[in-house]
Amino acid sequence: MNISEKINKLVLPLANKIGNQRHLVAIRDAFVDITPIIMVNSLFLLLNSLVLNQPAVLKAFPYAAKLTEMGTMVNNGTMGFMTIFVTFIIGYRLLNSYIADGRIGTNDISPIHAGILSVATALIMFPLNNPAMITGTVKTVTVAGVYAQSLTSSGGMFVGLIAAVLSTELLLFFYKAKKLRIKMPDGVPPAVAQSFNSLIPESLVVIVFAVITFAYVQIFHQGITDLVQAVISQPLQAAMESWIGCFVIQFVTQFLWFFGLHGQNIVASVTSPPMIAAIQQNMAAFAAHKAVPNIVTNPWIGMYTLFGGTGAILPFLIAIFIASKRKEYRDVAKLGLLPSIFNVSEPIMFGIPIVMNPYFVIPFIFVPLINLAIAYPLTLLGVVAKSVVIPAWTIPPILTTWVTTAGDIPATLLSLLLFILDIFLYLPFVLASNKGAKLEEK
Protein backbone atom coordinates (compact mmCIF):
# COMPACT_ATOMS: atom_id res chain seq x y z
CA MET A 1 0.00 0.00 0.00
CA ASN A 2 2.95 2.34 0.60
CA ILE A 3 3.99 1.86 -3.02
CA SER A 4 0.40 2.42 -4.16
CA GLU A 5 0.17 5.61 -2.15
CA LYS A 6 3.41 6.90 -3.64
CA ILE A 7 2.22 6.13 -7.17
CA ASN A 8 -1.11 7.74 -6.33
CA LYS A 9 0.63 10.97 -5.31
CA LEU A 10 2.39 11.03 -8.67
CA VAL A 11 -0.51 9.93 -10.85
CA LEU A 12 -3.46 11.70 -9.25
CA PRO A 13 -2.44 15.34 -9.93
CA LEU A 14 -1.56 14.64 -13.57
CA ALA A 15 -4.67 12.55 -14.21
CA ASN A 16 -6.90 15.15 -12.59
CA LYS A 17 -5.28 17.88 -14.65
CA ILE A 18 -5.89 15.95 -17.87
CA GLY A 19 -9.40 14.95 -16.81
CA ASN A 20 -10.36 18.55 -16.06
CA GLN A 21 -8.59 20.29 -18.95
CA ARG A 22 -11.39 22.34 -20.53
CA HIS A 23 -10.54 21.59 -24.17
CA LEU A 24 -10.27 17.84 -23.60
CA VAL A 25 -13.45 17.85 -21.52
CA ALA A 26 -15.33 19.67 -24.30
CA ILE A 27 -14.13 17.11 -26.86
CA ARG A 28 -14.96 14.16 -24.60
CA ASP A 29 -18.43 15.45 -23.75
CA ALA A 30 -19.21 16.17 -27.39
CA PHE A 31 -18.80 12.49 -28.25
CA VAL A 32 -20.93 11.54 -25.26
CA ASP A 33 -23.64 13.93 -26.49
CA ILE A 34 -23.89 12.27 -29.92
CA THR A 35 -24.03 8.74 -28.50
CA PRO A 36 -27.87 8.45 -28.72
CA ILE A 37 -28.03 9.17 -32.46
CA ILE A 38 -25.12 6.79 -33.10
CA MET A 39 -26.97 4.03 -31.24
CA VAL A 40 -30.15 4.70 -33.24
CA ASN A 41 -28.12 4.27 -36.41
CA SER A 42 -26.75 0.99 -35.04
CA LEU A 43 -30.30 -0.28 -34.44
CA PHE A 44 -31.21 0.32 -38.08
CA LEU A 45 -27.99 -1.37 -39.17
CA LEU A 46 -28.93 -4.41 -37.09
CA LEU A 47 -32.47 -4.36 -38.49
CA ASN A 48 -31.14 -4.38 -42.05
CA SER A 49 -28.50 -7.06 -41.53
CA LEU A 50 -30.33 -9.46 -39.19
CA VAL A 51 -33.89 -9.10 -40.47
CA LEU A 52 -34.59 -7.26 -43.70
CA ASN A 53 -31.68 -8.68 -45.71
CA GLN A 54 -32.26 -12.29 -44.67
CA PRO A 55 -33.16 -14.59 -47.62
CA ALA A 56 -36.17 -16.07 -45.80
CA VAL A 57 -37.58 -12.61 -45.06
CA LEU A 58 -36.97 -11.40 -48.62
CA LYS A 59 -38.67 -14.45 -50.04
CA ALA A 60 -41.76 -14.08 -47.85
CA PHE A 61 -41.81 -10.28 -48.00
CA PRO A 62 -40.00 -8.90 -51.10
CA TYR A 63 -40.75 -5.30 -50.10
CA ALA A 64 -38.25 -5.76 -47.23
CA ALA A 65 -35.47 -4.93 -49.70
CA LYS A 66 -37.05 -1.51 -50.20
CA LEU A 67 -37.36 -0.96 -46.44
CA THR A 68 -33.58 -1.15 -46.09
CA GLU A 69 -33.47 2.33 -47.59
CA MET A 70 -34.70 3.64 -44.23
CA GLY A 71 -31.41 2.53 -42.73
CA THR A 72 -29.54 4.52 -45.38
CA MET A 73 -31.65 7.59 -44.61
CA VAL A 74 -30.95 7.27 -40.87
CA ASN A 75 -27.24 6.82 -41.53
CA ASN A 76 -27.15 9.94 -43.70
CA GLY A 77 -28.83 11.98 -40.97
CA THR A 78 -26.77 10.66 -38.06
CA MET A 79 -23.32 9.25 -38.81
CA GLY A 80 -23.27 11.13 -42.12
CA PHE A 81 -23.12 14.48 -40.27
CA MET A 82 -21.22 13.35 -37.19
CA THR A 83 -18.37 15.85 -37.70
CA ILE A 84 -20.84 18.74 -37.96
CA PHE A 85 -22.60 17.74 -34.73
CA VAL A 86 -19.36 17.24 -32.80
CA THR A 87 -17.85 20.49 -34.08
CA PHE A 88 -20.86 22.51 -32.97
CA ILE A 89 -21.00 20.88 -29.53
CA ILE A 90 -17.27 21.38 -28.84
CA GLY A 91 -17.50 25.10 -29.58
CA TYR A 92 -20.68 25.37 -27.50
CA ARG A 93 -19.28 23.49 -24.50
CA LEU A 94 -15.90 25.20 -24.61
CA LEU A 95 -17.36 28.70 -24.49
CA ASN A 96 -19.85 27.54 -21.85
CA SER A 97 -16.93 26.44 -19.66
CA TYR A 98 -15.46 29.96 -19.86
CA ILE A 99 -18.84 31.40 -18.89
CA ALA A 100 -19.08 28.97 -15.97
CA ASP A 101 -15.63 30.11 -14.78
CA GLY A 102 -16.67 33.73 -14.90
CA ARG A 103 -14.26 34.61 -17.70
CA ILE A 104 -17.23 36.00 -19.66
CA GLY A 105 -20.51 37.39 -18.44
CA THR A 106 -23.58 35.22 -18.93
CA ASN A 107 -25.30 38.03 -20.86
CA ASP A 108 -22.29 39.04 -22.98
CA ILE A 109 -22.24 36.27 -25.56
CA SER A 110 -24.16 33.04 -26.08
CA PRO A 111 -22.38 29.66 -26.39
CA ILE A 112 -24.58 29.05 -29.43
CA HIS A 113 -22.51 31.65 -31.28
CA ALA A 114 -19.34 29.64 -30.61
CA GLY A 115 -21.04 26.47 -31.86
CA ILE A 116 -22.22 28.10 -35.08
CA LEU A 117 -18.84 29.75 -35.62
CA SER A 118 -17.09 26.40 -35.12
CA VAL A 119 -19.16 24.77 -37.86
CA ALA A 120 -18.69 27.77 -40.17
CA THR A 121 -14.89 27.72 -39.85
CA ALA A 122 -14.77 23.95 -40.33
CA LEU A 123 -16.79 24.24 -43.54
CA ILE A 124 -14.48 27.03 -44.72
CA MET A 125 -11.58 24.57 -44.47
CA PHE A 126 -13.46 21.85 -46.34
CA PRO A 127 -12.69 21.75 -50.10
CA LEU A 128 -14.93 23.65 -52.54
CA ASN A 129 -14.90 20.90 -55.18
CA ASN A 130 -15.29 17.17 -54.51
CA PRO A 131 -15.21 14.03 -56.66
CA ALA A 132 -18.47 12.15 -57.15
CA MET A 133 -19.41 8.97 -59.00
CA ILE A 134 -22.29 9.00 -61.45
CA THR A 135 -24.99 6.54 -60.39
CA GLY A 136 -24.92 3.32 -62.38
CA THR A 137 -21.44 3.96 -63.79
CA VAL A 138 -17.83 3.97 -62.67
CA LYS A 139 -17.27 7.44 -64.09
CA THR A 140 -16.07 10.07 -61.61
CA VAL A 141 -16.77 13.77 -62.00
CA THR A 142 -15.89 16.83 -59.94
CA VAL A 143 -18.87 18.53 -58.30
CA ALA A 144 -18.86 22.11 -57.02
CA GLY A 145 -20.93 23.34 -54.09
CA VAL A 146 -21.36 19.88 -52.52
CA TYR A 147 -19.68 18.76 -49.31
CA ALA A 148 -18.39 15.18 -49.35
CA GLN A 149 -20.02 12.89 -46.80
CA SER A 150 -16.60 11.37 -46.19
CA LEU A 151 -15.72 14.68 -44.53
CA THR A 152 -19.02 15.49 -42.82
CA SER A 153 -19.11 11.99 -41.29
CA SER A 154 -15.79 10.87 -39.78
CA GLY A 155 -13.16 11.87 -42.32
CA GLY A 156 -13.28 15.54 -41.34
CA MET A 157 -13.41 14.90 -37.60
CA PHE A 158 -10.00 16.34 -36.75
CA VAL A 159 -10.59 19.36 -38.98
CA GLY A 160 -13.78 19.95 -36.98
CA LEU A 161 -11.94 19.59 -33.66
CA ILE A 162 -9.26 22.06 -34.73
CA ALA A 163 -11.84 24.51 -36.08
CA ALA A 164 -13.95 24.36 -32.89
CA VAL A 165 -11.05 24.88 -30.48
CA LEU A 166 -9.19 27.55 -32.47
CA SER A 167 -12.26 29.52 -33.54
CA THR A 168 -13.62 29.63 -29.98
CA GLU A 169 -10.27 30.75 -28.57
CA LEU A 170 -9.93 33.40 -31.28
CA LEU A 171 -13.48 34.56 -30.60
CA LEU A 172 -12.59 35.07 -26.93
CA PHE A 173 -9.35 36.82 -27.88
CA PHE A 174 -11.12 39.35 -30.09
CA TYR A 175 -14.04 39.66 -27.70
CA LYS A 176 -11.76 40.87 -24.90
CA ALA A 177 -11.13 44.04 -26.94
CA LYS A 178 -14.12 46.10 -25.83
CA LYS A 179 -13.67 48.46 -28.78
CA LEU A 180 -14.68 45.60 -31.09
CA ARG A 181 -18.09 45.24 -29.43
CA ILE A 182 -21.20 47.02 -30.66
CA LYS A 183 -23.02 48.17 -27.54
CA MET A 184 -26.78 48.13 -27.91
CA PRO A 185 -29.05 50.40 -25.83
CA ASP A 186 -30.94 49.08 -22.81
CA GLY A 187 -34.24 47.44 -23.63
CA VAL A 188 -32.90 45.54 -26.65
CA PRO A 189 -33.69 41.80 -26.36
CA PRO A 190 -30.70 39.82 -24.99
CA ALA A 191 -30.42 37.63 -28.10
CA VAL A 192 -30.11 40.71 -30.33
CA ALA A 193 -27.61 42.36 -27.97
CA GLN A 194 -25.46 39.22 -27.88
CA SER A 195 -25.46 38.98 -31.67
CA PHE A 196 -24.26 42.56 -32.09
CA ASN A 197 -21.72 42.13 -29.29
CA SER A 198 -20.09 39.26 -31.14
CA LEU A 199 -20.58 40.59 -34.69
CA ILE A 200 -17.11 42.07 -35.18
CA PRO A 201 -15.19 39.35 -33.24
CA GLU A 202 -16.95 36.58 -35.20
CA SER A 203 -16.32 38.37 -38.49
CA LEU A 204 -12.61 38.63 -37.69
CA VAL A 205 -12.44 34.92 -36.87
CA VAL A 206 -14.09 34.02 -40.18
CA ILE A 207 -11.69 36.31 -42.05
CA VAL A 208 -8.65 34.72 -40.35
CA PHE A 209 -9.77 31.20 -41.29
CA ALA A 210 -10.69 32.22 -44.84
CA VAL A 211 -7.35 33.94 -45.49
CA ILE A 212 -5.27 31.08 -44.07
CA THR A 213 -7.25 28.43 -45.94
CA PHE A 214 -7.10 30.33 -49.23
CA ALA A 215 -3.36 30.99 -48.87
CA TYR A 216 -2.62 27.33 -48.08
CA VAL A 217 -4.61 26.06 -51.06
CA GLN A 218 -2.94 28.53 -53.42
CA ILE A 219 0.58 27.75 -52.18
CA PHE A 220 0.43 23.99 -51.72
CA HIS A 221 -2.37 23.09 -54.17
CA GLN A 222 -4.17 20.89 -51.69
CA GLY A 223 -6.84 21.39 -49.04
CA ILE A 224 -6.21 21.77 -45.32
CA THR A 225 -8.27 18.62 -44.85
CA ASP A 226 -5.60 16.70 -46.81
CA LEU A 227 -2.90 18.09 -44.51
CA VAL A 228 -4.79 17.23 -41.31
CA GLN A 229 -5.58 13.72 -42.48
CA ALA A 230 -1.97 13.05 -43.49
CA VAL A 231 -0.37 14.54 -40.37
CA ILE A 232 -2.91 13.77 -37.62
CA SER A 233 -5.88 11.57 -38.55
CA GLN A 234 -4.23 8.68 -40.35
CA PRO A 235 -1.16 8.31 -38.05
CA LEU A 236 -3.29 8.48 -34.89
CA GLN A 237 -5.84 5.97 -36.15
CA ALA A 238 -3.05 3.66 -37.32
CA ALA A 239 -1.48 3.85 -33.85
CA MET A 240 -4.80 3.07 -32.17
CA GLU A 241 -5.43 0.15 -34.53
CA SER A 242 -2.13 -1.55 -33.76
CA TRP A 243 -2.03 -4.17 -31.03
CA ILE A 244 0.48 -2.04 -29.14
CA GLY A 245 -1.83 0.99 -29.22
CA CYS A 246 -4.75 -1.17 -28.14
CA PHE A 247 -2.83 -2.54 -25.15
CA VAL A 248 -1.51 0.86 -24.10
CA ILE A 249 -5.03 2.33 -24.12
CA GLN A 250 -6.42 -0.50 -22.03
CA PHE A 251 -3.49 -0.52 -19.60
CA VAL A 252 -3.79 3.22 -18.95
CA THR A 253 -7.56 2.87 -18.49
CA GLN A 254 -7.19 0.06 -15.94
CA PHE A 255 -4.26 1.74 -14.19
CA LEU A 256 -6.19 4.97 -13.66
CA TRP A 257 -9.28 3.10 -12.46
CA PHE A 258 -7.24 1.31 -9.81
CA PHE A 259 -6.50 4.69 -8.27
CA GLY A 260 -10.16 5.69 -8.29
CA LEU A 261 -10.02 7.76 -11.48
CA HIS A 262 -12.49 7.19 -14.32
CA GLY A 263 -10.05 5.78 -16.84
CA GLN A 264 -12.41 5.80 -19.82
CA ASN A 265 -13.33 9.45 -19.33
CA ILE A 266 -9.71 10.55 -19.05
CA VAL A 267 -8.46 8.74 -22.16
CA ALA A 268 -11.65 9.32 -24.20
CA SER A 269 -10.74 12.90 -25.12
CA VAL A 270 -7.71 11.54 -27.00
CA THR A 271 -9.05 8.20 -28.23
CA SER A 272 -12.62 9.14 -29.19
CA PRO A 273 -11.93 10.82 -32.57
CA PRO A 274 -9.94 7.94 -34.13
CA MET A 275 -12.10 5.31 -32.44
CA ILE A 276 -15.34 6.87 -33.70
CA ALA A 277 -13.82 7.12 -37.17
CA ALA A 278 -12.84 3.44 -37.02
CA ILE A 279 -16.29 2.16 -36.03
CA GLN A 280 -17.96 4.46 -38.57
CA GLN A 281 -15.77 2.97 -41.30
CA ASN A 282 -16.69 -0.53 -40.10
CA MET A 283 -20.40 0.27 -40.10
CA ALA A 284 -20.27 1.79 -43.58
CA ALA A 285 -18.34 -1.20 -44.97
CA PHE A 286 -20.71 -3.68 -43.34
CA ALA A 287 -23.79 -1.88 -44.68
CA ALA A 288 -22.25 -1.90 -48.16
CA HIS A 289 -21.42 -5.65 -47.86
CA LYS A 290 -17.69 -4.93 -48.09
CA ALA A 291 -14.78 -6.18 -45.99
CA VAL A 292 -14.83 -4.59 -42.53
CA PRO A 293 -11.49 -2.76 -42.18
CA ASN A 294 -10.75 -2.08 -38.49
CA ILE A 295 -10.20 -4.37 -35.52
CA VAL A 296 -9.77 -1.93 -32.64
CA THR A 297 -12.83 0.15 -31.82
CA ASN A 298 -14.42 1.09 -28.52
CA PRO A 299 -17.20 -1.52 -28.96
CA TRP A 300 -14.61 -4.20 -29.81
CA ILE A 301 -12.58 -3.44 -26.68
CA GLY A 302 -15.74 -3.29 -24.59
CA MET A 303 -17.17 -6.62 -25.69
CA TYR A 304 -14.04 -8.46 -24.49
CA THR A 305 -13.19 -6.43 -21.38
CA LEU A 306 -16.40 -4.91 -19.95
CA PHE A 307 -17.77 -8.09 -18.42
CA GLY A 308 -19.90 -6.31 -15.84
CA GLY A 309 -17.78 -3.18 -15.90
CA THR A 310 -14.16 -2.13 -16.23
CA GLY A 311 -11.79 -4.92 -15.24
CA ALA A 312 -14.22 -7.80 -15.87
CA ILE A 313 -16.09 -7.23 -12.61
CA LEU A 314 -18.77 -9.90 -13.10
CA PRO A 315 -16.26 -12.79 -13.29
CA PHE A 316 -14.62 -11.27 -10.21
CA LEU A 317 -17.95 -11.42 -8.33
CA ILE A 318 -18.46 -15.06 -9.32
CA ALA A 319 -14.95 -15.82 -8.03
CA ILE A 320 -15.91 -14.19 -4.73
CA PHE A 321 -19.08 -16.28 -4.48
CA ILE A 322 -17.03 -19.42 -5.19
CA ALA A 323 -14.02 -18.90 -2.97
CA SER A 324 -14.18 -15.85 -0.73
CA LYS A 325 -14.50 -16.37 3.02
CA ARG A 326 -14.66 -12.67 3.76
CA LYS A 327 -18.18 -11.76 4.79
CA GLU A 328 -17.76 -8.09 3.86
CA TYR A 329 -16.71 -9.05 0.31
CA ARG A 330 -19.62 -11.43 -0.12
CA ASP A 331 -22.13 -8.91 1.22
CA VAL A 332 -20.96 -6.18 -1.15
CA ALA A 333 -20.85 -8.67 -4.02
CA LYS A 334 -24.51 -9.54 -3.45
CA LEU A 335 -25.47 -5.87 -3.53
CA GLY A 336 -23.39 -5.18 -6.63
CA LEU A 337 -24.36 -8.26 -8.63
CA LEU A 338 -27.45 -6.83 -10.34
CA PRO A 339 -25.82 -3.50 -11.33
CA SER A 340 -22.79 -5.40 -12.66
CA ILE A 341 -24.99 -7.47 -14.97
CA PHE A 342 -25.74 -4.15 -16.68
CA ASN A 343 -22.08 -3.01 -16.57
CA VAL A 344 -22.43 -0.67 -13.59
CA SER A 345 -19.31 -1.48 -11.59
CA GLU A 346 -18.99 1.47 -9.18
CA PRO A 347 -20.66 -0.34 -6.21
CA ILE A 348 -17.94 -2.99 -6.43
CA MET A 349 -15.09 -0.65 -7.34
CA PHE A 350 -15.64 1.48 -4.25
CA GLY A 351 -17.57 -0.97 -2.07
CA ILE A 352 -15.24 -3.95 -1.71
CA PRO A 353 -13.14 -1.92 -2.75
CA ILE A 354 -11.02 -2.77 -5.75
CA VAL A 355 -9.65 0.77 -5.80
CA MET A 356 -6.26 0.81 -4.02
CA ASN A 357 -6.71 -2.82 -2.93
CA PRO A 358 -3.30 -4.58 -3.17
CA TYR A 359 -4.89 -8.04 -3.42
CA PHE A 360 -6.59 -7.27 -6.74
CA VAL A 361 -4.29 -4.82 -8.52
CA ILE A 362 -2.69 -7.51 -10.70
CA PRO A 363 -5.87 -9.22 -11.99
CA PHE A 364 -7.79 -5.95 -12.32
CA ILE A 365 -5.15 -4.48 -14.62
CA PHE A 366 -4.04 -7.59 -16.50
CA VAL A 367 -7.20 -9.70 -16.93
CA PRO A 368 -8.59 -7.33 -19.61
CA LEU A 369 -5.17 -7.29 -21.31
CA ILE A 370 -5.13 -11.10 -21.40
CA ASN A 371 -8.59 -11.06 -22.97
CA LEU A 372 -7.43 -8.65 -25.68
CA ALA A 373 -4.25 -10.68 -26.24
CA ILE A 374 -6.45 -13.67 -27.10
CA ALA A 375 -9.13 -11.79 -29.03
CA TYR A 376 -6.84 -9.63 -31.20
CA PRO A 377 -5.09 -12.42 -33.16
CA LEU A 378 -8.34 -14.37 -33.54
CA THR A 379 -10.00 -11.26 -34.97
CA LEU A 380 -6.99 -10.56 -37.18
CA LEU A 381 -7.15 -14.11 -38.58
CA GLY A 382 -10.87 -13.79 -39.25
CA VAL A 383 -11.87 -16.52 -36.79
CA VAL A 384 -14.23 -14.06 -35.09
CA ALA A 385 -15.99 -11.05 -36.60
CA LYS A 386 -15.06 -7.39 -36.15
CA SER A 387 -17.30 -4.81 -34.50
CA VAL A 388 -19.92 -3.22 -36.76
CA VAL A 389 -22.47 -1.88 -34.25
CA ILE A 390 -22.28 0.53 -31.30
CA PRO A 391 -24.44 -1.13 -28.63
CA ALA A 392 -25.99 0.43 -25.55
CA TRP A 393 -23.38 0.12 -22.80
CA THR A 394 -25.94 -1.39 -20.41
CA ILE A 395 -26.46 -4.54 -22.50
CA PRO A 396 -25.27 -7.53 -20.41
CA PRO A 397 -21.97 -9.25 -21.25
CA ILE A 398 -21.89 -11.91 -23.97
CA LEU A 399 -25.10 -10.51 -25.45
CA THR A 400 -23.12 -7.32 -26.11
CA THR A 401 -20.76 -9.26 -28.36
CA TRP A 402 -23.63 -10.76 -30.34
CA VAL A 403 -25.09 -7.30 -30.90
CA THR A 404 -21.75 -5.59 -31.63
CA THR A 405 -20.79 -8.15 -34.28
CA ALA A 406 -24.30 -8.25 -35.79
CA GLY A 407 -24.93 -11.81 -34.64
CA ASP A 408 -21.52 -13.47 -35.06
CA ILE A 409 -21.63 -16.78 -33.17
CA PRO A 410 -17.83 -17.43 -32.96
CA ALA A 411 -17.24 -14.00 -31.41
CA THR A 412 -20.07 -14.58 -28.96
CA LEU A 413 -18.63 -17.97 -27.96
CA LEU A 414 -15.20 -16.36 -27.56
CA SER A 415 -16.67 -13.84 -25.13
CA LEU A 416 -18.26 -16.67 -23.15
CA LEU A 417 -14.96 -18.57 -22.97
CA LEU A 418 -13.06 -15.45 -21.92
CA PHE A 419 -15.70 -14.78 -19.26
CA ILE A 420 -15.12 -18.27 -17.81
CA LEU A 421 -11.33 -17.84 -18.07
CA ASP A 422 -11.53 -14.57 -16.14
CA ILE A 423 -13.25 -16.33 -13.24
CA PHE A 424 -10.29 -18.70 -12.92
CA LEU A 425 -7.81 -15.82 -13.30
CA TYR A 426 -9.41 -13.98 -10.38
CA LEU A 427 -9.74 -17.05 -8.11
CA PRO A 428 -6.09 -17.20 -6.86
CA PHE A 429 -6.25 -13.58 -5.79
CA VAL A 430 -9.57 -14.07 -4.02
CA LEU A 431 -7.98 -16.99 -2.14
CA ALA A 432 -5.02 -14.77 -1.30
CA SER A 433 -7.40 -12.20 0.17
CA ASN A 434 -8.76 -14.95 2.46
CA LYS A 435 -5.27 -15.48 3.89
CA GLY A 436 -4.93 -11.74 4.21
CA ALA A 437 -8.10 -11.61 6.29
CA LYS A 438 -6.64 -14.13 8.75
CA LEU A 439 -3.46 -12.08 9.07
CA GLU A 440 -5.52 -8.94 9.64
CA GLU A 441 -7.46 -10.71 12.44
CA LYS A 442 -4.19 -11.71 14.12
Side-chain angles (χ1 to χ4, degrees):
M1 287 301 293
N2 289 333
I3 296 175
S4 296
E5 289 171 0
K6 290 178 181 179
I7 296 175
N8 193 26
K9 289 180 180 179
L10 294 173
V11 172
L12 189 60
L14 178 61
N16 279 333
K17 190 172 183 179
I18 295 173
N20 294 316
Q21 207 283 326
R22 70 173 76 248
H23 301 90
L24 296 180
V25 169
I27 293 171
R28 181 199 69 200
D29 290 348
F31 285 100
V32 174
D33 289 336
I34 67 168
T35 298
I37 62 171
I38 293 177
M39 289 186 177
V40 169
N41 184 64
S42 297
L43 291 176
F44 275 88
L45 181 66
L46 280 175
L47 178 65
N48 282 358
S49 62
L50 298 180
V51 179
L52 298 179
N53 280 325
Q54 293 299 313
V57 175
L58 291 172
K59 185 177 180 180
F61 185 50
Y63 193 71
K66 192 69 175 176
L67 291 176
T68 59
E69 294 180 8
M70 282 196 300
T72 303
M73 294 175 183
V74 171
N75 182 73
N76 290 340
T78 54
M79 300 291 283
F81 277 85
M82 183 168 51
T83 288
I84 306 302
F85 301 144
V86 168
T87 302
F88 177 89
I89 296 170
I90 291 172
Y92 178 92
R93 284 192 170 275
L94 184 55
L95 186 59
N96 206 38
S97 72
Y98 283 112
I99 293 174
D101 285 352
R103 303 278 187 93
I104 308 174
T106 54
N107 296 323
D108 290 343
I109 186 171
S110 170
I112 292 176
H113 286 273
I116 295 172
L117 184 62
S118 298
V119 174
T121 51
L123 294 177
I124 287 171
M125 291 192 290
F126 283 1
L128 294 172
N129 303 307
N130 291 284
M133 184 176 292
I134 299 175
T135 303
T137 71
V138 294
K139 184 178 179 180
T140 301
V141 295
T142 300
V143 182
V146 175
Y147 289 110
Q149 192 180 68
S150 60
L151 293 177
T152 61
S153 56
S154 62
M157 186 69 68
F158 281 96
V159 176
L161 301 186
I162 293 170
V165 172
L166 293 184
S167 65
T168 303
E169 291 295 338
L170 274 176
L171 177 62
L172 290 175
F173 175 78
F174 290 128
Y175 192 79
K176 289 177 181 178
K178 294 184 179 180
K179 293 181 179 180
L180 297 179
R181 304 182 195 176
I182 300 176
K183 184 67 176 177
M184 300 299 289
D186 295 337
V188 174
V192 176
Q194 289 173 347
S195 294
F196 276 91
N197 262 340
S198 62
L199 176 59
I200 296 177
E202 285 189 50
S203 300
L204 290 175
V205 173
V206 169
I207 291 170
V208 169
F209 272 83
V211 169
I212 292 175
T213 301
F214 177 79
Y216 182 85
V217 172
Q218 295 303 309
I219 295 171
F220 297 101
H221 305 290
Q222 67 170 1
I224 288 184
T225 53
D226 299 319
L227 172 66
V228 173
Q229 287 179 351
V231 176
I232 301 177
S233 304
Q234 294 172 358
L236 186 56
Q237 185 171 342
M240 296 292 183
E241 282 299 310
S242 68
W243 68 269
I244 295 177
C246 170
F247 276 60
V248 169
I249 292 168
Q250 193 60 36
F251 176 82
V252 172
T253 300
Q254 300 297 131
F255 184 78
L256 292 173
W257 257 117
F258 180 74
F259 291 97
L261 304 169
H262 200 299
Q264 283 93 344
N265 281 353
I266 293 174
V267 303
S269 53
V270 177
T271 62
S272 288
M275 288 291 196
I276 287 288
I279 188 61
Q280 197 273 338
Q281 292 164 6
N282 284 9
M283 294 169 71
F286 182 76
H289 305 288
K290 297 179 181 179
V292 177
N294 303 307
I295 294 177
V296 182
T297 65
N298 276 332
W300 181 84
I301 292 175
M303 70 189 190
Y304 294 125
T305 62
L306 291 179
F307 294 151
T310 301
I313 293 300
L314 205 50
F316 170 61
L317 295 185
I318 295 174
I320 286 178
F321 291 136
I322 292 173
S324 180
K325 296 180 180 179
R326 301 183 69 147
K327 184 178 183 300
E328 70 273 22
Y329 283 7
R330 297 180 69 87
D331 288 343
V332 175
K334 291 175 184 177
L335 293 173
L337 178 60
L338 183 60
S340 294
I341 291 174
F342 299 99
N343 298 314
V344 178
S345 59
E346 280 77 4
I348 303 302
M349 294 293 298
F350 300 101
I352 281 183
I354 291 179
V355 171
M356 299 292 289
N357 190 326
Y359 294 116
F360 304 122
V361 57
I362 293 176
F364 179 76
I365 291 178
F366 289 99
V367 162
L369 297 179
I370 292 171
N371 290 353
L372 294 181
I374 296 171
Y376 190 94
L378 292 177
T379 309
L380 182 64
L381 294 172
V383 177
V384 296
K386 299 173 182 175
S387 55
V388 294
V389 172
I390 301 178
W393 64 272
T394 52
I395 296 178
I398 316 302
L399 179 59
T400 300
T401 305
W402 186 82
V403 172
T404 303
T405 57
D408 186 68
I409 300 302
T412 306
L413 290 176
L414 175 61
S415 287
L416 177 60
L417 292 175
L418 291 176
F419 187 98
I420 297 171
L421 172 64
D422 293 350
I423 297 172
F424 287 98
L425 292 175
Y426 266 113
L427 275 173
F429 299 92
V430 172
L431 293 171
S433 71
N434 291 339
K435 296 180 180 179
K438 293 180 180 179
L439 292 176
E440 290 168 12
E441 289 176 3
K442 292 180 181 180

